[in-house]
Amino acid sequence: MRIIFIFVVLFIGCEKDRNVSVEIAHQSLGDPDVLFLDVRTRKEFINEGKIKDAMLIPVNALERRLVELKQHQEKEIIVYCRSGRRSKIAMELLMRNNFNAYNMVGGFLAWKDYTHP
């Protein structure tokens, strides 16, 4: 699964922007080499739902909580928020700190549309 994800991101996705579609992200669900990182607020996480096994670190706390992600340094990290704006900021912060991060385009709203048509 990891090889498929890497291939799709490198050759089909936009490497420069490091965006990944909801469809590709969904295919990575359950892959032990992929971490879903939710950067919404705790309230959004609890009230609006989440992706299974996602880790929550709100974007405004991410920089000071990077140490919590060190154990996931070798994984692909798919970052998402509500619509994709905060996750792009978080992904850029993670990249500057040597994490292999991708921004899920459309965020959790797109995820819900994809998984509950």
Side-chain angles (χ1 to χ4, degrees):
M1 178 65 96
R2 183 178 181 168
I3 292 170
I4 293 170
F5 177 77
I6 292 170
F7 176 81
V8 170
V9 170
L10 291 177
F11 296 102
I12 297 173
C14 181
E15 179 64 10
K16 183 180 177 190
D17 292 332
R18 299 194 59 94
N19 288 325
V20 64
S21 70
V22 170
E23 294 83 3
I24 299 300
H26 190 267
Q27 291 173 11
S28 300
L29 196 60
D31 186 329
D33 294 319
V34 176
L35 172 72
F36 282 83
L37 178 64
D38 191 322
V39 295
R40 297 175 296 164
T41 65
R42 178 169 298 284
K43 183 177 177 181
E44 288 173 301
F45 187 78
I46 292 168
N47 294 337
E48 297 174 15
K50 64 176 182 139
I51 295 175
K52 183 181 181 206
D53 298 325
M55 178 182 221
L56 172 68
I57 302 179
V59 70
N60 61 355
L62 185 58
E63 189 165 20
R64 69 178 178 271
R65 292 179 59 187
L66 284 174
V67 68
E68 295 173 41
L69 291 171
K70 284 295 181 189
Q71 65 183 328
H72 303 289
Q73 191 90 39
E74 300 302 317
K75 295 182 180 184
E76 281 104 11
I77 300 175
I78 298 176
V79 186
Y80 71 95
C81 62
R82 182 174 183 272
S83 64
R85 287 187 210 122
R86 289 175 283 177
S87 58
K88 186 172 189 316
I89 293 166
M91 184 261 321
E92 290 168 351
L93 172 68
L94 290 170
M95 292 295 297
R96 284 194 306 272
N97 286 277
N98 301 312
F99 288 93
N100 190 14
Y102 299 87
N103 177 46
M104 187 173 78
V105 177
F108 193 67
L109 292 175
W111 181 270
K112 287 195 318 189
D113 286 345
Y114 181 77
T115 58
H116 298 95

